[in-house]
Amino acid sequence: MKETDAPILAPEQQLCFAVYAAGQAFARLYRPLLEPLGLTYPQYLAMLVLWEGEPISVTGIGQRLGLDTGTLTPLLKRLEAAGLVRRTRSAEDERRVVVTLTDRGRALKERARTIPDAVACASGRDIDGVVALRDELKALARALDTSESAL
Amino acid sequence: MKETDAPILAPEQQLCFAVYAAGQAFARLYRPLLEPLGLTYPQYLAMLVLWEGEPISVTGIGQRLGLDTGTLTPLLKRLEAAGLVRRTRSAEDERRVVVTLTDRGRALKERARTIPDAVACASGRDIDGVVALRDELKALARALDTSESAL
DNA sequence: GAGATTTATATTGTACACAATATAGTTTTG
DNA sequence: CAAAACTATATTGTGTACAATATAAATCTC
């Protein structure tokens, strides 16, 4: 088994690098699709959450996307500067910043509707294939996160 | 089909987000494993390439990892500041910056050997399961990259 | 072999990503 | 109700990530 030690360290052989490279490939694919909407990919993710339902707090968005405030606060400020969202402190609990869509932000949803289909098409998989791989990755992420404590 | 339009836009249903979340989960898993080595995850990827074979140019590393010079130059300067690599201009072609390992950088490989096993274990998959998912992701990345021109 | 093209790297600017810390507001407890 | 504990967000600092541009060296073309 000695002689198989070295190749295991090659990036191309590792699952983590395959995930990393697939993420880069998605980023390259999304960039030209989102550029006409004036959104980056993480901004698009935040808009997806807002299109699902608002108002929602910064923490609420962070829980859906797995992002912390250090990432979301400047991201949401840029979306606010672009006129897509509003950030207002909650009256009941003044620690909360509640994010709502503007009319322009709501209208952008229509222009984004064609994106998931274009991406699914680019993946070269049918719906079942996309769903199967998606669920495998969800299970992987869950396994990685739950094992953290065991190390 | 009208009423299925909206849910398609939920981040949790999309393959791209599953890849994104799995990448975040890997980053969380690797951070405590790499912290004793003084490496970040992208720095670890660069070291993997160097451990496979050096000297290698900045462009050579970038081709293996899919990273451009704007990312690699500061990353490699940090590895140089940490005493793990050396950056020297090639004598034959003075445009090239050739990266080599120092003794400390080479020695670090031994301490990194246990990491792939720990990560594979954390994934909760056997070797065949890891290989199968890795190859599916490679195929996905290839499909996404080749479709770019077709849009 | 001088000029145009190409190639390799560096630099600049914008935008994540997250740990650590700070701050302010809320809730809990005695 | 006052002190302690907790919660939500913001701030700071470090480190990617990449587009666009700059620079310098090598190569190609006539």
Side-chain angles (χ1 to χ4, degrees):
Chain A
M1 290 289 164
K2 273 260 180 66
E3 69 269 17
T4 62
D5 276 1
I8 289 179
L9 282 172
E12 292 83 357
Q13 298 216 356
Q14 297 196 34
L15 177 57
C16 64
F17 182 67
V19 171
Y20 181 81
Q24 288 177 318
F26 268 122
R28 277 191 293 274
L29 177 66
Y30 269 103
R31 202 166 294 122
L33 296 175
L34 293 175
E35 193 272 324
L37 307 189
L39 295 175
T40 65
Y41 179 64
Q43 288 170 3
Y44 171 68
L45 289 179
M47 292 300 288
L48 288 181
V49 171
L50 287 161
W51 288 330
E52 285 289 299
E54 32 111 27
I56 185 172
S57 68
V58 175
T59 302
I61 297 173
Q63 283 174 346
R64 286 282 291 277
L65 301 181
L67 296 173
D68 68 6
T69 63
T71 301
L72 282 174
T73 295
L75 185 154
L76 292 169
K77 283 182 177 175
R78 278 185 283 269
L79 290 179
E80 188 176 41
L84 298 174
V85 308
R86 260 186 300 270
R87 296 161 61 251
T88 52
R89 283 215 177 256
S90 163
E92 309 97 58
D93 186 341
E94 292 191 9
R95 294 171 305 179
R96 289 173 169 274
V97 169
V98 168
V99 184
T100 54
L101 289 169
T102 64
D103 289 343
R104 278 193 54 207
R106 241 181 306 275
L108 206 61
K109 183 176 184 178
E110 297 312 312
R111 296 177 60 196
R113 273 198 201 284
T114 59
I115 292 180
D117 273 352
V119 172
C121 172
S123 76
R125 289 168 166 264
D126 58 20
I127 306 250
D128 290 346
V130 168
V131 168
L133 183 52
R134 181 199 71 192
D135 289 343
E136 278 212 272
L137 286 165
K138 281 189 182 184
L140 174 65
R142 203 161 38 241
L144 295 176
D145 280 332
T146 58
S147 78
E148 273 182 288
S149 45
L151 298 171
Chain B
M1 291 289 162
K2 273 259 180 68
E3 68 270 14
T4 62
D5 276 2
I8 289 178
L9 282 171
E12 292 83 356
Q13 298 216 356
Q14 298 196 34
L15 177 56
C16 63
F17 181 67
V19 171
Y20 181 82
Q24 288 176 318
F26 268 122
R28 276 191 294 275
L29 177 65
Y30 269 104
R31 200 165 295 123
L33 296 176
L34 293 175
E35 193 273 324
L37 306 189
L39 295 174
T40 66
Y41 180 63
Q43 288 169 3
Y44 171 67
L45 290 179
M47 292 300 288
L48 288 181
V49 171
L50 287 161
W51 288 330
E52 285 290 300
E54 32 111 26
I56 184 171
S57 68
V58 175
T59 302
I61 298 173
Q63 284 173 346
R64 287 282 291 278
L65 301 181
L67 297 173
D68 70 6
T69 63
T71 301
L72 282 175
T73 295
L75 185 153
L76 291 169
K77 282 183 178 175
R78 277 186 281 270
L79 290 179
E80 187 176 42
L84 298 175
V85 308
R86 260 185 301 270
R87 296 163 59 252
T88 51
R89 286 219 174 254
S90 164
E92 309 97 60
D93 186 341
E94 291 192 9
R95 295 170 305 178
R96 289 172 169 275
V97 170
V98 168
V99 184
T100 54
L101 290 169
T102 62
D103 289 343
R104 278 194 54 207
R106 241 181 306 276
L108 206 61
K109 182 176 183 178
E110 297 312 312
R111 296 178 59 196
R113 274 197 201 285
T114 59
I115 292 180
D117 274 352
V119 172
C121 172
S123 76
R125 291 168 164 264
D126 58 21
I127 306 248
D128 290 345
V130 168
V131 168
L133 182 53
R134 181 200 71 192
D135 289 343
E136 277 211 274
L137 286 165
K138 280 189 182 182
L140 173 65
R142 203 160 39 241
L144 294 176
D145 280 332
T146 58
S147 78
E148 273 182 288
S149 46
L151 297 171

